[in-house]
Amino acid sequence: MITKYKILFLLLVVTFGFAQNKVTITVENNLDFAQNEKLIEIEWSKIKALFNQIDTTNFIVIDAKTKKQLPYQLEFKGNSKIQNLLVQVSCKAKSQLKLTIKSGKKIILKSKLLEDMSLKEKTICMGK
């Protein structure tokens, strides 16, 4: 998944804005086609520099337009300190997506894999 981002790195421009209790990130898709459910990595040191009070156990990533939480993961790459914030985003062709990182309780998002497995299991059970 990360290798996909390395390709996207050239295609997405990430800029930062900040307030004392949050960070706003702009992801820009310069391509002529949409990027759906793509994994992007954002350097943790850049987030930390702008939002040094961030609590790694109590923050959320929000799509600024829809106000919905987005799935994310902290990446350590074998180190004891966080290296990157990995966020799954969708961005229309030739458009921007604004993300807000702020304090808040993370909701547990449903796993698409588990949903697919559950659906298959029900289909098998119904076929008996």
Side-chain angles (χ1 to χ4, degrees), residues 2 6 41 74-84 86:
I2 299 304
K6 289 181 181 176
E41 78 182 21
L74 298 174
E75 181 181 40
F76 290 84
K77 290 188 171 181
N79 295 301
S80 59
K81 292 185 179 180
I82 300 167
Q83 303 298 304
N84 297 302
L86 306 176

Side-chain angles (χ1 to χ4, degrees), residues 4-119:
K4 285 184 181 178
Y5 172 73
K6 289 181 181 176
I7 294 168
L8 290 175
F9 181 74
L10 300 172
L11 312 174
L12 297 173
V13 177
V14 179
T15 57
F16 292 87
F18 68 97
Q20 289 182 340
N21 59 354
K22 67 180 179 179
V23 175
T24 301
I25 300 169
T26 303
V27 178
E28 186 173 15
N29 179 5
N30 292 324
L31 298 174
D32 292 327
F33 51 90
Q35 297 293 306
N36 295 313
E37 296 184 358
K38 296 295 180 178
L39 190 64
I40 61 169
E41 78 182 21
I42 304 163
E43 287 181 49
W44 186 253
S45 60
K46 290 182 179 179
I47 296 169
K48 191 77 170 149
L50 297 172
F51 186 7
N52 63 359
Q53 300 296 323
I54 192 166
D55 175 357
T56 58
T57 62
N58 192 36
F59 78 93
I60 53 178
V61 180
I62 297 175
D63 179 323
K65 185 176 182 179
T66 65
K67 307 295 186 215
K68 291 185 179 179
Q69 284 190 37
L70 297 175
Y72 71 85
Q73 182 175 339
L74 298 174
E75 181 181 40
F76 290 84
K77 290 188 171 181
N79 295 301
S80 59
K81 292 185 179 180
I82 300 167
Q83 303 298 304
N84 297 302
L85 173 66
L86 306 176
V87 184
Q88 187 178 4
V89 299
S90 294
C91 193
K92 294 179 182 178
K94 301 283 187 191
S95 67
Q96 293 183 342
L97 174 67
K98 291 194 182 292
L99 308 177
T100 302
I101 299 172
K102 66 179 190 174
S103 298
K105 184 173 180 168
K106 184 178 176 180
I107 60 169
I108 304 301
L109 301 171
K110 284 186 178 181
S111 167
K112 291 181 182 182
L113 176 62
L114 292 178
E115 284 179 12
D116 289 347
M117 289 173 62
S118 177
L119 180 61

